[in-house]
């Protein structure tokens, strides 16, 4: 897979490319990620990339020409992109499903905005997709582009060493992960749950499913009544087990009473 990121802050993105998952994918020859400085595609002496918005108002807007020249350069030197993605708060939500779908693409281009954003004609003429990574305000598209690249690249076969780590990722399942522990078994009096030291794989699996579902009920109940639940791709017996454990947790909580539950959640 090829990935090209166009930005006015190439050094910000290069750090991400040098470390972690994308670097590993690059070493393994699975992903080829290139960062392009938008200023290299200006034609004026001062390399100006922004201008005041038509219609007035605060801030600056990124000019169209450098983006058109950058994408033409990428087409000529790196081939026709499968997708040209513009991260922005006006985009459709980027989700795990999007990451999985885009991991099958041959060539992704990500265009990063700054200031008030990018001239809309760039989005109209060049973008295949406009995506937002979440409901909070970032100062530019770079962090969002890196989030998208990271999430997509780790779905490409051969990037994450142990394929189980990918298929067992939370959001690959429609509930949250269970808590993790490593040595020592006692850290200043804080003990690892006894069942994890027991060597009983069946008990460990049941404990993990139960704590995962308890956390999900507490922190992300929306995941459990969403349309993605209990998940079409899960084996039937897993689905049935999940439903059974959920009913059990809910029944226990009802029996315990709501006041006690609130106190327990605080501690
Ligand atoms: C791209 C410029 C900043 C946007 C004025 C401050 C994505 N989930 C997300 N939150 N924010 C962004 C995002 C923000 C961006 C740009 C992405 C380019 N800004 C602007 C308009 C209003 N500010 C994002 N994906």
């Amino acid at each position: 897979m090829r990935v090209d990121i166009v930005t006015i802050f190439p050094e910000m993105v290069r750090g991400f490319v040098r470390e972690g998952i994308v670097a590993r994918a690059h070493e393994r020859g699975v992903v080829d990620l290139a960062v392009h400085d938008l200023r290299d595609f200006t034609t004026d002496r001062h390399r100006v990339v922004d201008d005041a918005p038509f219609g007035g108002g605060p801030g600056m807007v990124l000019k169209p020409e450098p983006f058109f020249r950058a994408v033409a350069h990428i087409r000529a030197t790196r081939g026709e992109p499968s997708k040209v993605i513009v991260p922005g708060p006006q985009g459709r939500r980027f989700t795990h499903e999007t990451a999985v779908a885009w991991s099958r693409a041959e060539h992704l281009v990500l265009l990063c905005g700054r200031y008030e954003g990018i001239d809309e004609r760039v989005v109209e003429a060049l973008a295949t997709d406009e995506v937002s990574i979440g409901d909070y305000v970032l100062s530019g598209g770079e962090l969002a582009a890196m989030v998208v690249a990271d999430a997509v690249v780790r779905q490409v076969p051969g990037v994450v060493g142990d394929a189980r780590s990918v298929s067992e990722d939370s959001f690959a399942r429609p509930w949250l992960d269970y808590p993790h522990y490593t040595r020592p078994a006692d850290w200043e009096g804080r003990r690892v749950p006894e069942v994890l030291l027991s060597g009983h794989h069946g008990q460990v699996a049941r404990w993990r499913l139960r704590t995962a579902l308890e956390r999900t009920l507490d922190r992300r109940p929306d995941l459990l009544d969403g349309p993605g639940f209990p998940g079409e791709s899960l084996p039937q017996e897993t689905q049935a087990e999940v439903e059974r454990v959920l009913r059990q947790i809910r029944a226990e909580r009802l029996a315990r009473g709501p006041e006690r539950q609130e106190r327990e959640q605080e501690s």
Side-chain angles (χ1 to χ4, degrees):
M1 165 182 271
R2 274 185 184 162
V3 182
D4 291 275
I5 301 182
V6 180
T7 169
I8 63 167
F9 295 123
E11 287 314 313
M12 184 176 171
V13 183
R14 283 192 187 117
F16 158 76
V17 177
R18 275 196 303 265
E19 312 272 351
I21 203 84
V22 171
R24 176 129 57 102
H26 199 268
E27 287 159 20
R28 295 187 177 187
V30 183
V31 173
D32 172 13
L33 196 152
V35 184
H36 307 270
D37 186 345
L38 186 68
R39 285 188 201 281
D40 291 344
F41 302 97
T42 55
T43 50
D44 64 307
R45 212 159 63 81
H46 296 106
R47 313 209 328 144
V48 175
V49 289
D50 61 336
D51 205 342
F54 273 125
M60 298 294 268
V61 175
L62 289 175
K63 295 157 66 64
E65 194 195 27
F67 279 108
F68 277 90
R69 286 169 48 88
V71 172
H73 169 81
I74 290 166
R75 281 208 169 95
T77 59
R78 311 254 299 162
E80 189 64 23
S82 326
K83 304 227 170 267
V84 177
I85 300 153
V86 178
Q90 269 64 50
R92 290 178 202 279
R93 178 62 61 86
F94 176 77
T95 65
H96 179 69
E97 282 63 45
T98 328
V100 171
W102 289 355
S103 72
R104 295 176 186 127
E106 196 50 53
H107 186 186
L108 304 181
V109 172
L110 288 147
L111 306 179
C112 303
R114 275 277 152 177
Y115 317 122
E116 295 310 305
I118 304 174
D119 187 290
E120 190 63 21
R121 291 164 294 184
V122 172
V123 183
E124 285 170 8
L126 298 178
T128 58
D129 298 84
E130 202 177 350
V131 289
S132 164
I133 62 161
D135 291 340
Y136 33 78
V137 183
L138 301 172
S139 311
E142 286 78 9
L143 284 169
M146 290 187 265
V147 165
V148 168
D150 186 275
V152 169
V153 164
R154 60 179 284 110
Q155 295 302 320
V156 174
V159 169
V160 174
D162 190 342
R164 274 189 316 173
S165 304
V166 175
S167 61
E168 289 177 10
D169 269 346
S170 187
F171 294 104
R173 286 178 278 95
W175 57 82
L176 302 181
D177 204 358
Y178 52 80
H180 301 270
Y181 298 89
T182 186
R183 287 180 289 189
D186 186 325
W187 173 254
E188 297 180 348
R190 293 171 179 272
R191 293 202 43 85
V192 170
E194 217 52 49
V195 59
L196 299 180
L197 313 175
S198 69
H200 291 109
H201 300 304
Q203 281 183 26
V204 169
R206 274 190 297 279
W207 179 87
R208 284 179 169 169
L209 180 61
R210 169 167 259 277
T211 51
L213 291 173
E214 281 175 340
R215 290 176 144 196
T216 311
L217 274 170
D218 290 336
R219 303 176 190 180
R220 293 294 306 277
D222 57 298
L223 294 177
L224 298 177
D225 42 49
F229 188 81
E232 312 87 63
S233 58
L234 295 167
Q236 284 246 299
E237 61 271 24
T238 312
Q239 280 190 38
E241 172 76 347
V242 167
E243 299 283 9
R244 192 185 63 74
V245 176
L246 265 179
R247 270 197 305 276
Q248 199 180 324
I249 297 167
R250 286 186 173 122
E252 282 172 18
R253 290 183 171 193
L254 274 174
R256 238 185 279 141
E259 322 77 29
R260 174 128 175 242
Q261 265 178 54
E262 266 168 40
R263 260 184 286 122
E264 280 172 346
Q265 271 184 43
E266 279 161 27
S267 62

